[in-house]
Amino acid sequence: MTHMIATFFYIGHLRPAPGTWGSLAALPVGWGLYMLGGVPLFLIATVVVFALGWWATGIETAGKADHDPSEIVIDEVAGQWIALAPTLIGAAHAGADVLALWPGWVTAFAAFRLFDIWKPGLIGWADRRGDALGVMLDDVIAGLFAAVVVVIGAGISH
């Protein structure tokens, strides 16, 4: 079960670029959660995914030299959802169709992938921790950075 969680239902085994596949897979699942329960369910699910991901990653990497194997993508799911949150919150606030805000979706995806790959500042620090929390935390911080980019983009375009 921990492997299924850590790989986000085995999406992490797709090649090449499993992190990108994990981020892409997070988008329709996030949309589904939003459609089922709005922003509250989406935000609760984000916290739950972080907690489950931390737990599953700890078990999957225990005693292994590689603290962040590429097939573990649950961290990308949590980070991608954080990046997407401003778009979903904005749609709910405006009473808009969430898919009509597609530029926010594209920006959230692109900015998150950029920060996750580049790992500037705090993101790199978290990645270098070498433990399960670091695996999750670098993507959470990348998601926060990307969320700021989404908000700035929305402010400029609106």
Side-chain angles (χ1 to χ4, degrees):
M1 184 155 116
T2 59
H3 191 72
M4 183 179 66
I5 293 168
T7 61
F8 197 57
F9 304 97
Y10 308 104
I11 294 293
H13 290 290
L14 294 176
R15 298 287 185 263
T20 299
W21 287 111
S23 295
L24 279 172
L27 295 175
V29 175
W31 173 81
L33 289 166
Y34 177 82
M35 296 307 291
L36 285 172
V39 171
L41 179 61
F42 178 79
L43 295 176
I44 289 167
T46 302
V47 172
V48 168
V49 160
F50 173 80
L52 284 174
W54 184 7
W55 168 74
T57 299
I59 291 171
E60 288 294 308
T61 59
K64 296 180 181 170
D66 187 359
H67 77 281
D68 192 1
S70 62
E71 69 268 10
I72 293 180
V73 296
I74 194 67
D75 51 330
E76 272 82 11
V77 174
Q80 186 63 70
W81 285 356
I82 290 167
L84 187 59
T87 301
L88 301 184
I89 292 167
H93 179 71
D97 175 8
V98 71
L99 296 179
L101 300 181
W102 64 266
W105 289 77
V106 172
T107 303
F109 176 77
F112 173 70
R113 292 309 302 144
L114 172 71
F115 288 122
D116 186 31
I117 293 165
W118 178 25
K119 299 192 186 312
L122 287 174
I123 302 166
W125 166 82
D127 185 59
R128 290 186 299 274
R129 284 178 53 103
D131 61 3
L133 179 58
V135 171
M136 296 301 296
L137 200 55
D138 79 307
D139 289 280
V140 165
I141 299 168
L144 290 170
F145 283 23
V148 169
V149 171
V150 170
V151 170
I152 291 169
I156 291 169
S157 68
H158 295 292

